[in-house]
């Protein structure tokens, strides 16, 4: 801790809240720039909605949501239409203030007209969401899951999921929402910070009981009831990867703005808290992502009225200590150094072997072939010996690199428990890479941002994008390009998300890009239209780069 400021550079910077620090030029920071902004309720809902537009089935793990106040009329219309088409539908909605946490300001409603539109909604934007009425219950109680996810790197994308998490329980038996029970927070909201104030809250020394338990204990219960726990894990992994794929495009825009390519800067990693609700049919639904999940391993206990003491919480300890320990093992700078030395050793060894072989061949060229073979085998034997010592190097870092077991290794991690963090990306990249379309749109956006350090595209940048990608023609003039830019940018800026910079933000660019794709490839489904336009743009930019390279050489 550096209460008076830091003088020397560090290998790892462990920030409490966000990335920001003026003078970090190397090492690793435990926060990504822009992450706090990205996981706010409105931004997350927008990012997931973009993916839902492209891949509705793949992204059906996030409840239908509307952003207030701007989508209030849309919310009213859509609910009316759905009710008209299915009169038996009796929905409940949950209203959550943007940027709120710990259940603060959340309330349930039965009808759009129940939204508290008095002043506050205008000054405090919110998300209104379909309420999941049939959650899975354990001991008649609603609960949610907090899972810890390590985003180890953005480029290339590397994601790890902790093998165990926490289950946080409500403290009143659950009933489906009715006008009478809508306000009962201990029945409907699983937040620890709320339920701790209920007389029914049970602190437990045992990970299998009480109001906060390990997720693995729930899985054991489900498994004994015959549930397909493997499928559940696979669905959860898929939810986590897809959510991060929805967040990465904008994170990359923030990243290049804070850590411009080519300039000295740190790399980043971050532990995220995923809040997931299981439906009765075991389908996991994403509630939210926390950029600063609580890592407390103790709780307050009231010894006598008004006298509190911090006591250890075995459940928190079991899950969180492992997450932090293994994060540090995975980002360990010593391991990187050992890997670099290992790689250098490998190269040096190869060069030595090649030189040795040449020497042998040249020197012995007049001797018999058998002799040469003898010398070569000596050479190879020395190679085998070298390989043994190389093997020793590998054992030093065996295991943790991809989340394998490391017990029994002879390295500095010998004696440590096996990793609780399991790599899921790039391990399962093949199954998910087709979803990464917006990432490629963001790469185009970043290319035309121009001056480093910005997150918004100016009108000239947008025009250059259109020209370089050959998107303007007789039916789409440059005047029409300007109108498209102004229309979309003005609307996004009027939503009042970020007034610091003027210009077109990534989400506005994505909207413009979808518009162009729909125009150009009319009859295809949206994701194919977008994929075709990306291919088209990337092709023209590659041709342009090639031309510039040739000109440069010339
Ligand atoms: P906060 O950041 O304030 O905790 P959340 O989005 O996590 O906000 O919501 C708080 C709690 O409300 C959740 O822990 C969950 O129990 C409940 N909840 C949130 N969204 C839904 C939903 N769509 N359906 C059912 N319950 C929900």
């Amino acid at each position: 801790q550096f209460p008076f400021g830091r003088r020397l550079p560090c290998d790892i910077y462990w920030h409490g809240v966000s990335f920001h620090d003026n003078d970090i030029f190397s090492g690793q920071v435990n926060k990504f720039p822009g992450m706090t902004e990205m996981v706010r309720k409105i931004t997350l809902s927008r990012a997931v909605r973009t993916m839902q537009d492209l891949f509705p089935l793949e992204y059906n793990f996030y409840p239908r949501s509307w952003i207030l106040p701007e989508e209030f009329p849309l919310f009213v219309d859509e609910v009316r239409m759905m009710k008209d088409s299915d009169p038996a539908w009796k929905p409940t909605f949950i209203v959550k203030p943007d940027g709120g946490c710990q259940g603060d300001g959340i309330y349930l409603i039965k009808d759009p007209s129940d939204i508290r539109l008095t002043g506050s909604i205008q000054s405090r934007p919110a998300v209104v969401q379909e309420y999941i009425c049939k959650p899975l219950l354990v001991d008649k109680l609603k609960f949610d899951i907090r899972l810890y996810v390590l985003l180890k790197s953005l480029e290339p994308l590397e994601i790890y999921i902790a093998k165990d998490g926490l289950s946080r329980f409500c403290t009143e038996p659950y009933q489906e929402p009715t006008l009478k029970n809508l306000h009962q927070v201990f029945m409907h909201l699983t937040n620890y910070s709320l339920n701790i104030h209920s007389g029914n809250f049970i602190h437990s020394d045992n990970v299998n009981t009480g109001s906060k338990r390990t997720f693995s204990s729930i899985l054991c219960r489900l498994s004994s009831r015959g549930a397909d726990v493997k499928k559940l894990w696979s669905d959860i992994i898929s939810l986590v990867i897809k959510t991060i794929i929805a967040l990465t495009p904008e994170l990359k825009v923030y990243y290049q703005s804070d850590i411009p390519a080519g300039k000295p800067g740190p790399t980043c990693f971050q532990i995220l808290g995923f809040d997931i609700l299981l439906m009765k049919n075991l389908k996991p639904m994403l509630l939210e992502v926390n950029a600063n999940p609580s890592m407390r391993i103790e709780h307050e206990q009231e010894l006598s009225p008004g006298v509190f003491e911090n006591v250890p919480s075995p459940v928190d300890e079991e899950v969180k200590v492992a997450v932090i320990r293994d994060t540090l093992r995975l980002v360990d700078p010593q391991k990187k150094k050992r890997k670099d030395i290992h790689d250098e050793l490998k190269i040096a060894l190869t060069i030595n072997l090649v030189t040795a072989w040449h020497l042998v061949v040249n020197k012995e060229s007049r001797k018999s072939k058998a002799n040469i073979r003898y010398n070569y085998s000596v050479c190879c034997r020395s190679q085998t010996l070298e390989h043994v010592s190389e093997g020793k190097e590998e054992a030093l870092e065996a295991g943790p690199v991809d989340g394998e077991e490391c017990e029994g290794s002879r390295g500095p991690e010998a004696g440590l428990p096996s990793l609780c963090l399991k790599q899921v990306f790039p391990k399962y990249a093949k199954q998910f890479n087709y979803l990464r379309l917006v990432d490629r749109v963001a790469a185009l956006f970043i290319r035309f941002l121009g001056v480093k350090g910005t997150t918004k595209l100016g009108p000239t940048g947008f025009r250059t994008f259109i020209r370089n990608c050959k998107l303007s023609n007789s039916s789409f003039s440059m005047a029409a390009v300007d109108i498209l830019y102004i229309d979309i940018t003005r609307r996004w800026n009027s939503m009042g998300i970020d007034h610091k910079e003027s210009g077109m933000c990534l989400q506005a660019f994505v909207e413009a890009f979808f518009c162009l794709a729909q125009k150009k490839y009319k009859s295809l489904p949206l994701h194919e239209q977008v994929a075709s336009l990306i291919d088209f743009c990337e092709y023209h930019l590659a041709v342009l780069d090639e031309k510039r390279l040739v000109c440069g050489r010339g």
Side-chain angles (χ1 to χ4, degrees):
Q1 293 188 345
F2 293 93
F4 306 112
R6 177 175 44 78
R7 298 229 177 105
L8 293 171
C10 306
D11 292 320
I12 295 176
Y13 298 83
W14 200 275
H15 289 185
V17 181
S18 71
F19 169 81
H20 283 101
D21 189 325
N22 290 333
D23 55 347
I24 302 182
F25 302 109
S26 62
Q28 304 180 72
V29 184
N30 73 329
K31 298 277 188 278
F32 280 91
M35 185 65 89
T36 314
E37 290 81 350
M38 274 316 298
V39 299
R40 284 173 74 101
K41 292 182 172 63
I42 288 185
T43 344
L44 176 72
S45 297
R46 278 213 174 96
V48 175
R49 166 127 26 112
T50 303
M51 295 307 292
Q52 284 174 331
D53 289 345
L54 288 169
F55 303 103
L57 282 183
E58 286 87 338
Y59 279 82
N60 66 5
F61 58 81
Y62 191 67
R64 205 181 340 223
S65 307
W66 296 265
I67 290 155
L68 300 178
E70 74 224 32
E71 290 179 356
F72 182 66
L74 186 73
F75 171 50
V76 174
D77 286 351
E78 287 191 359
V79 171
R80 192 186 318 118
M81 264 164 44
M82 286 186 281
K83 277 187 177 170
D84 286 349
S85 66
D86 177 10
W89 187 54
K90 298 268 178 283
T92 303
F93 303 96
I94 182 163
V95 186
K96 313 186 203 180
D98 187 42
C101 61
Q102 305 189 330
D104 180 31
I106 291 183
Y107 59 96
L108 304 189
I109 53 169
K110 279 284 190 189
D111 191 84
S113 61
D114 300 334
I115 284 197
R116 297 171 199 161
L117 270 173
T118 47
S120 70
I121 198 82
Q122 295 298 335
S123 52
R124 203 174 173 195
V127 166
V128 58
Q129 202 168 66
E130 231 179 296
Y131 185 74
I132 298 156
C133 292
K134 294 186 190 306
L136 179 75
L137 304 182
V138 165
D139 300 336
K140 298 200 175 94
L141 299 169
K142 176 175 171 178
F143 67 97
D144 76 352
I145 309 161
R146 158 61 57 85
L147 270 189
Y148 295 93
V149 171
L150 170 67
L151 180 56
K152 184 165 174 271
S153 155
L154 201 54
E155 191 75 76
L157 188 57
E158 273 184 70
I159 309 169
Y160 290 75
I161 301 185
K163 285 181 193 162
D164 203 356
L166 297 168
S167 306
R168 298 157 315 174
F169 279 72
C170 278
T171 39
E172 290 281 343
Y174 184 77
Q175 285 165 14
E176 284 196 29
T178 60
L179 281 174
K180 270 194 181 154
N181 70 30
L182 278 187
H183 61 280
Q184 295 194 27
V185 289
F186 297 148
M187 176 186 289
H188 291 292
L189 307 188
T190 49
N191 299 79
Y192 166 80
S193 49
L194 290 174
N195 284 283
I196 185 98
H197 299 297
S198 150
N200 296 339
F201 193 93
I202 304 168
H203 286 293
S204 169
D205 284 348
N206 185 329
V207 292
N208 302 308
T209 57
S211 300
K212 201 194 263 185
R213 312 180 194 175
T214 58
F215 179 43
S216 52
S217 74
I218 303 290
L219 287 176
C220 273
R221 276 278 281 265
L222 294 178
S223 176
S224 66
R225 284 192 213 165
D228 187 349
V229 170
K230 260 195 177 163
K231 157 106 175 47
L232 174 57
W233 255 121
S234 149
D235 289 346
I236 289 176
I237 290 173
S238 163
L239 174 153
V240 166
I241 295 177
K242 286 174 187 169
T243 305
I244 291 190
I245 286 178
L247 297 175
T248 52
E250 222 161 328
L251 281 176
K252 284 182 183 170
V253 174
Y254 281 109
Y255 200 91
Q256 62 79 40
S257 150
D258 272 287
I259 313 171
K263 289 202 180 146
T267 55
C268 304
F269 65 93
Q270 188 153 356
I271 298 172
L272 301 168
F274 272 66
D275 291 349
I276 293 169
L277 189 70
L278 294 184
M279 289 181 27
K280 211 173 187 161
N281 61 3
L282 285 191
K283 182 179 167 55
M285 297 291 284
L286 176 70
L287 294 178
E288 70 162 351
V289 181
N290 282 277
N292 288 307
S294 160
M295 284 296 171
R296 279 195 71 172
I297 52 169
E298 10 175 69
H299 62 82
E300 269 182 2
Q301 205 172 44
E302 194 165 13
L303 293 179
S304 52
V307 182
F308 292 90
E309 187 195 41
N310 280 332
V311 295
S313 161
V315 186
D316 288 289
E317 227 174 285
E318 165 125 2
V319 173
K320 296 176 182 173
V321 169
V323 170
I324 295 200
R325 181 197 62 217
D326 291 350
T327 298
L328 289 173
R329 282 159 85 183
L330 286 170
V331 302
D332 176 8
Q334 291 304 322
K335 186 180 294 153
K336 193 175 175 309
K337 277 182 204 155
R338 282 199 301 276
K339 190 173 180 309
D340 289 347
I341 293 171
H342 176 230
D343 290 347
E344 276 168 28
L345 245 150
K346 241 183 177 169
I347 294 167
L349 177 68
T350 315
I351 294 171
N352 280 341
L353 275 170
V354 171
T355 323
W357 172 239
H358 277 290
L359 277 176
V360 168
V361 173
N362 290 338
K363 226 172 152 187
E364 307 292 322
S365 57
R366 272 162 287 134
K367 291 187 186 170
S368 70
K369 269 187 184 169
N371 254 345
I372 292 177
R373 236 177 268 129
Y374 166 77
N375 280 310
Y376 181 58
S377 73
V378 170
C379 187
C380 286
R381 229 184 299 140
S382 74
Q383 185 186 15
T384 326
L385 283 176
E386 293 283 6
H387 265 299
V388 172
S389 60
E390 199 185 348
K392 252 188 215 156
E393 264 302 312
E394 265 169 10
L396 288 180
E397 53 181 58
V401 179
D402 62 357
E404 294 299 317
E405 305 282 310
C406 77
E407 273 164 330
S409 80
R410 283 166 290 156
E413 300 198 0
L416 283 181
S418 63
L419 278 183
C420 80
L421 290 169
K422 183 176 152 54
Q423 194 203 70
V424 294
F425 204 95
K427 190 171 180 189
Y428 301 122
K430 268 194 201 149
Q431 280 135 270
F432 295 95
N433 271 342
Y434 75 99
L435 298 172
R436 302 181 70 190
L437 286 183
V438 187
D439 247 10
R440 288 165 69 195
V441 177
L444 296 172
F445 177 79
I446 290 170
R447 177 179 169 130
F448 290 97
L449 273 181
V451 191
K452 296 274 189 279
T454 56
T455 55
K456 290 192 176 172
L457 191 65
T460 319
F462 190 69
R463 283 175 138 248
T464 317
F465 153 69
I466 297 283
R467 265 202 216 102
N468 288 4
C469 294
K470 307 243 177 292
L471 293 176
S472 173
N473 50 38
S474 53
S475 62
F476 186 52
S477 67
M478 285 313 277
V481 169
D482 288 340
I483 292 172
L484 180 73
Y485 176 89
I486 292 167
D487 270 2
I488 293 186
T489 305
R490 190 178 291 158
R491 194 156 37 76
W492 277 87
N493 287 346
S494 73
M495 292 179 204
I497 306 150
D498 170 16
H499 287 304
K500 274 179 267 153
E501 272 180 62
S502 65
M504 182 182 241
C505 62
L506 174 70
Q507 289 291 334
F509 181 78
V510 169
E511 186 183 322
F513 197 90
F514 284 14
C515 223
L516 295 170
Q518 279 163 324
K519 234 186 226 176
K520 201 169 165 62
Y521 305 98
K522 290 192 179 71
S523 56
L524 299 173
L526 182 64
H527 70 270
E528 284 182 35
Q529 293 172 335
V530 171
S532 305
L533 188 63
I534 296 172
D535 286 343
F536 184 85
C537 294
E538 286 176 349
Y539 169 76
H540 283 290
L541 293 174
V543 171
L544 194 72
D545 288 345
E546 181 67 21
K547 259 190 210 158
R548 284 182 183 157
L549 203 71
V550 173
C551 287
R553 269 196 224 126

